Amino acid sequence: MPETAPFRWTRRHVAALIVLCLAALLDTIDVTVVNVAMPAIKSTLHFSEGGLAWMVSAYMVPFGGFLLLGGRAGDVLGRRRVLLAGTVLFTVASIGSGLAPDTAVMVITRAAEGLAAAFVVPMTLALLAVVFPAGPARTRAFSVWGAISAAAGTFGLILGGLLVSAAGWRWIFFINVPVGALVIAFTLRVLPSDSERRSGGFDLAGAVAVTGGASLLAYGTVRGAWGSPVTIVSLIAAAALLGYFVVHERFVAPHPLLPMSLWRNRSVSGANLIGALFTSAIFAMFFSTTLYMQQVLSYSALRTGLAYIPLGVSILVAAGISPALVRAIGVRMTTVAGTVLAVAGLTLLTGIPAHGYLLTDILIPETLIGLGGGLVLVPTSIAGMSGVAVGRSGIGSALLNASRQLGGALGFAVISAIVANRTGALLARGVTVPAAMTSGFHTGFVVSAGLVAASAIAALVLLREDGRGQQVNLIELQTAGAG
């Protein structure tokens, strides 16, 4: 819609844009910032390999599971209220993670951070739409938000390396405290107050069911002892909760988080399936390559973080050219091209030696994966919003984000368990630690490549050729499918 009156930027608008981008950055980088600190955390808190993977999943599962509820809470209770409450919880939970004396406290506080992020991130984009009127001003604000969101993962790795090297791993959490306080203070000062609360309810039961089911599924997978009664009960309970979620959303919930009719749209279901498969492979790749660089190649945390810069740059470059490719060859083939590049990079990683080199064994494969990821981002965002009614655009966007987060968490749990089991089996046979770990990572990269290949098949089967010959606004699509 065109702007009804000329818009003039003021200091208040600039401050609002800064605080909302900072709030989004604070939450999204926490997905990756712990990666380079994992060896130090493992040593201090005595995490097992499986427990270390669960520390990562403990953040991602509630983040993805409560995104839909977080968006709904803002609509009903007020977006500024929800942003403030989520930021307060995130800041307090970060203090708990920084002070964590053992593994149990770390996992609990990480889960609280993920829960808070699920309420904060949707509010940042919603409040941008409130502060800036439709037209050039909103597009410019969204462009800044989209660029920061796209770079957040790589920035988290670099920041983590700097903090671990300079001050110790606990500061990757303590740094959130002053930043969170700044967000809270400026939110109260520069963001508009909420209007009266809207009528409507929350599907809390649905949110708890899907998050609890995903959590139990991740726990049972990471635990790995397939014959254990605890593992069996966890997986059965997970299946029961996830099954109940589907029934609850379809027949029971008066205000469902997820209208099941969305799944009848092949492009929507295909985009969400591709997002889940692709993200699970990428999250697992981050985990394995980080441990490979630090525990096999003996890189410092700082050097490890800096080694990810080419990956971040390649994602941004590919995302920048994706709209042109979509116009030329369509959504389906652009997605397939991205998956082919990512499979090529993951295939190169399956051959990394125990005494590898940064350029040939890390940077070249990761650049291919980054280019592939950037090419997949835009067309799947188009497909995920294709045919979704305007009144359901928020739900479509939240669903795409939730699929990526939950799919990434569960796929990561499966692959990390496979890596740990392979490494443990080789160590028991007397293989040296570097060789055993490297072989475990090889297995994980093979599985990751298989997941990306499966996403390519899903693209060919499910996606339509939406977008060919059309002007595609990259920033609008990044904001629709960020995260």
Side-chain angles (χ1 to χ4, degrees), residues 53-359:
W54 180 241
M55 182 187 72
V56 178
S57 296
Y59 183 91
M60 293 160 54
V61 169
F63 189 4
F66 283 99
L67 270 170
L68 294 171
L69 183 65
R72 176 64 177 165
D75 289 340
V76 175
L77 297 177
R79 296 179 178 91
R80 194 177 80 156
R81 293 188 189 98
V82 172
L83 177 65
L84 285 169
T87 304
V88 169
L89 175 59
F90 187 89
T91 303
V92 173
S94 296
I95 296 173
S97 295
L99 297 175
D102 53 41
T103 59
V105 173
M106 176 62 78
V107 169
I108 292 170
T109 55
R110 287 290 292 165
E113 288 180 79
L115 174 64
F119 286 82
V120 170
V121 172
M123 294 307 98
T124 60
L125 185 56
L127 282 165
L128 280 177
V130 172
V131 173
F132 297 94
R138 185 180 294 176
T139 299
R140 182 176 297 179
F142 279 5
S143 70
V144 176
W145 190 97
I148 289 175
S149 296
T154 303
F155 181 73
L157 293 165
I158 298 170
L159 178 64
L162 289 169
L163 289 173
V164 171
S165 299
W169 67 262
R170 294 186 185 273
W171 278 94
I172 68 172
F173 303 110
F174 289 148
I175 193 65
N176 294 336
V177 177
V179 178
L182 190 66
V183 169
I184 293 168
F186 276 85
T187 294
L188 290 169
R189 183 169 182 176
V190 303
L191 294 182
S193 299
D194 295 309
S195 58
E196 294 182 2
R197 299 185 184 187
R198 300 180 183 180
S199 60
F202 301 98
D203 184 17
L204 182 59
V208 171
V210 68
T211 306
S215 299
L216 287 170
L217 182 59
Y219 174 75
T221 304
V222 171
R223 199 171 186 276
W226 304 113
S228 165
V230 175
T231 300
I232 294 173
V233 170
S234 297
L235 296 178
I236 292 175
L241 283 171
L242 294 174
Y244 170 75
F245 171 73
V246 174
V247 174
H248 178 81
E249 296 297 293
R250 178 66 178 84
F251 300 107
V252 179
H255 304 283
L257 289 176
L258 179 59
M260 289 297 157
S261 59
L262 284 177
W263 294 112
R264 300 191 192 110
N265 185 317
R266 286 179 58 186
S267 287
V268 171
S269 58
N272 281 276
L273 177 59
I274 293 165
L277 292 171
F278 195 90
T279 306
S280 64
I282 298 305
F283 281 0
M285 183 274 295
F286 274 132
F287 180 78
S288 293
T289 52
T290 298
L291 292 181
Y292 171 73
M293 284 188 278
Q294 290 190 274
Q295 296 191 344
V296 176
L297 301 184
S298 299
Y299 286 6
S300 67
L302 178 58
R303 187 179 182 186
T304 300
L306 295 176
Y308 282 110
I309 291 177
L311 175 67
V313 172
S314 63
I315 291 174
L316 291 174
V317 169
I321 66 174
S322 287
L325 280 177
V326 169
R327 291 195 299 270
I329 63 176
V331 162
R332 181 192 300 161
M333 296 314 299
T334 302
T335 303
V336 172
T339 59
V340 169
L341 285 172
V343 168
L346 289 165
T347 301
L348 289 177
L349 286 176
T350 63
I352 55 175
H355 302 285
Y357 296 95
L358 178 62
L359 175 62

